[in-house]
Amino acid sequence: MNQSNQDNAKGWQTQVEGGILYQGDISIHNYPTQQFHSSPPNNIPYRGVANFVGRDEKLVELDKKLLQNDNAAILAVAGMGGIGKTELATQYAQRYKVNYPGGLCWLDARKPDLAAEIVQFAQFYMKLEVPKTLLTSQEQAKWCWHNWQPQTGLVLVVLDNVDDVTNWENSRQVLPTDNRFRILMTTRLRNLGSTVQQITLDELSPNDALNLLTALLGENDRRVQREPQTAANLCKWLGYLPLGLQLVGAYLAEDPNLSLTEILQRLPAQQQSQLEAVFELSWQQLDYMTQCVGELLSLFAPDIIPCQLVESASQQLNWAKADIDEARKQLYKRHLIQSVAERESCYKIHPLIREFLQGKLVGLNTADDLKQAFAAALVEITQKIPQSLTLEDIKSVQLAIPHLAEVAQNLIDAVQDENLFWVFNGLGKFYEGQGLYTLAAPWYKQGLSTVQTHLGDAHPDVATSLNNLAYLYYSQGRYDQAEPLFLQALELFKRLLGEAHPLVAISLNNLALLYNSQGRNDQAEPLFLQALELRKRLLGDAHPSVATGLNNLAYLYYSQRRYDQAEPLFVQALELSKRLLGEAHPHVAASLNNLASIYKSQGRYDQAEPLYLQALELSKRLLGEAHPSVAASLNNLAGLYNSQGRYDQAEPLLLQALKICQQVFGVNHPNTVTVRQNLENLQA
């Protein structure tokens, strides 16, 4: 029995992926997972201050209230800004984590999409692939709570900075309800409802405030002992607020000869805004360059700030790296920035200090320069995001994403017109590359609207934005919505750039992919041929885009059983990808898989098996164990074993592939249906 007849008898279906992103000419579309840690997931961002006094009883009270409930407990630590709510939550999470073997999850309620934060946590810390069939980010967040790993033990969820009613209402929609989760909130609000227990965090007692000030100055400093009444008056002036005490303590530590009487005299008599006065005192102590760096830092989102990103922005301003490093040291020394646990060279800014620093930008002559430099540094990152995202790619860019979103939402006027597209393309590609389509779509839509508003309807960036949104719909199987956008993009590219342009080739190729997926091969083939010919003419024969064109045309022939035409194209695509991209690249894995499928279909099993094995190993290494491309390789290798009658080897591979597809795509996605049918046919 020849190979094709045997495959038909078994009803085997091959799953091979193909696709293109923007200018990406990618023969495999990626949805990376993140690295899984064997210990319980934990993303507590702060180390906690070394001098933590006066709150031990509150820690005990927190633990008692959180653990005593049988139902999901929501406990709010309420108090004014600067009182130490976040620090209390940090200390509790660090000291009592043994009570939460299921893990600790720290969320920031100020994020524009809290559901996205939950999904990213699940992917990075628990290796979960969220089903792409879930249409809303809220559904995806709820799925993450339901599938939390490990499956046993309580989980602590810290929801920081719930500071307005709207913020709270939005957060409630995505919080877990299962009784294994304990939710600890920090908020400036009171009376959040009957379902929320509340602990009010007041200022420190006068004695605890004195103890904190003493500890901050160090055991060898005797100023508090020499001026006990002045020290008490200073603590009172500061309202016994931990943040104010930390800043004044840092100020005093800077000058051991400065008396407490002198610093109290430097503070204004009016006390309506103690913290702002203390911020100003620290601000005046900074040199000009350090003040400039502080103003720059205020532009960042209220999230982890990588030093490398600060340096990139400072390069736009021609600031010397040595000056930036010294400024960061001075800001950290004075408690104006905080270090981040388990992340070297990263900082955060207290929300109140960020607000103070942003106030310094108002009316500043150089404010626009700072904003433009900040935006330019983020744009530069987006332009370096590769077309085919791997695990390492996601890891390398993820800390920049909140700050890129800050540019998109609040600083878009600081972005040059030619870079507007890149802001939204970077955000969309980051989420789309992980299969988070519901999070990618708003950025692509906003990007399309923004470039249309700023550049008009007849601009290449509008065409590219149409193409990106269309490709997102294509990836979701929403072909009816994708086709008109692909056609608009193609028409616009041709009109603006002429018939002979690389972007026209990409647009032709993407439309052909859509038609191929719909079985409209008579329409797909001439478009693939046009795209390939155009790429060769414009880019030369040795270009990654040509390799993609060869692969996609070959796959069309393969699907039509035109093996003699498909094989040499697959061979060329593989050789070209290896030469241009290196042996370890997702395109190479895809080409290995495709060529192996040709050999299998021709009954050349000895040639097919090693290629399938190479493709599987490479996909796992680059993209993670639970990636759709891994499922495809497992399915195809199982098909080879099925064709050889090696059913005991085929079945476990199909079970693995089915598990991945169900988790990633859902039970009714075409890929899932294909694998399930293959398994049923094998078991029949």
Side-chain angles (χ1 to χ4, degrees), residues 477-488:
R478 299 161 64 180
Y479 300 144
D480 291 344
Q481 293 171 272
E483 184 174 0
L485 299 184
F486 273 142
L487 289 170
Q488 288 180 57

Side-chain angles (χ1 to χ4, degrees), residues 425-584:
N425 178 66
L427 289 163
K429 187 160 54 173
F430 175 77
Y431 291 117
E432 185 183 14
Q434 299 174 80
L436 302 175
Y437 299 137
T438 59
L439 303 182
W443 294 118
Y444 281 143
K445 291 177 181 177
Q446 187 179 344
L448 175 59
S449 174
T450 301
V451 295
Q452 284 176 325
T453 300
H454 285 75
L455 307 176
D457 290 330
H459 192 279
D461 285 353
V462 174
T464 303
S465 299
L466 286 166
N467 177 80
N468 283 359
L469 185 57
Y471 194 88
L472 182 72
Y473 290 152
Y474 163 74
S475 300
Q476 293 174 291
R478 299 161 64 180
Y479 300 144
D480 291 344
Q481 293 171 272
E483 184 174 0
L485 299 184
F486 273 142
L487 289 170
Q488 288 180 57
L490 177 58
E491 186 277 330
L492 197 53
F493 278 135
K494 286 183 176 180
R495 178 155 55 90
L496 297 173
L497 305 175
E499 300 278 341
H501 194 280
L503 291 178
V504 173
I506 289 173
S507 197
L508 288 166
N509 183 80
N510 288 351
L511 187 59
L513 286 171
L514 175 68
Y515 291 156
N516 189 20
S517 298
Q518 294 175 303
R520 298 159 64 181
N521 292 334
D522 290 344
Q523 294 172 272
E525 183 174 358
L527 298 181
F528 276 139
L529 288 168
Q530 288 180 56
L532 179 59
E533 186 278 330
L534 195 54
R535 285 165 164 164
K536 286 184 176 181
R537 177 153 53 93
L538 297 173
L539 305 172
D541 291 337
H543 193 279
S545 294
V546 173
T548 296
L550 291 167
N551 176 80
N552 290 345
L553 181 61
Y555 182 70
L556 175 70
Y557 293 154
Y558 167 76
S559 66
Q560 296 175 311
R561 298 180 183 272
R562 296 159 65 179
Y563 301 140
D564 290 344
Q565 293 172 272
E567 182 179 348
L569 299 181
F570 275 142
V571 170
Q572 290 179 57
L574 175 60
E575 187 277 331
L576 199 53
S577 294
K578 284 183 175 180
R579 178 155 54 91
L580 298 175
L581 304 172
E583 299 279 343

Side-chain angles (χ1 to χ4, degrees), residues 120-173:
Q120 289 180 34
F121 179 93
Q123 290 197 144
F124 184 77
Y125 289 94
M126 293 183 292
K127 198 183 175 183
L128 292 180
E129 281 284 355
V130 181
K132 299 171 180 63
T133 51
L134 297 177
L135 298 180
T136 69
S137 56
Q138 288 186 10
E139 289 175 343
Q140 293 180 337
K142 290 177 181 178
W143 184 93
C144 292
W145 299 126
H146 182 72
N147 292 275
W148 190 274
Q149 297 173 355
Q151 297 294 336
T152 58
L154 292 178
V155 179
L156 177 65
V157 179
V158 179
L159 183 61
D160 199 19
N161 299 308
V162 182
D163 290 335
D164 60 66
V165 175
T166 301
N167 189 286
W168 167 232
E169 291 298 325
N170 292 337
S171 299
R172 290 176 65 181
Q173 304 301 316

Side-chain angles (χ1 to χ4, degrees), residues 339-381:
S339 60
V340 178
E342 298 180 357
R343 288 190 182 275
E344 295 183 2
S345 300
C346 289
Y347 296 94
K348 291 195 76 169
I349 303 178
H350 191 284
L352 293 178
I353 296 175
R354 180 173 180 263
E355 291 175 13
F356 172 80
L357 293 174
Q358 285 182 330
K360 292 296 181 181
L361 286 173
V362 178
L364 189 69
N365 292 335
T366 58
D368 287 343
D369 293 336
L370 293 175
K371 293 175 182 178
Q372 290 168 11
F374 173 63
L378 270 302
V379 167
E380 191 175 276
I381 288 177

Side-chain angles (χ1 to χ4, degrees), residues 296 300 308-318 373-374 377:
L296 175 63
F300 285 78
Q308 186 176 4
L309 189 51
V310 179
E311 291 171 3
S312 297
S314 66
Q315 288 173 4
Q316 302 284 336
L317 297 159
N318 295 318
F374 173 63

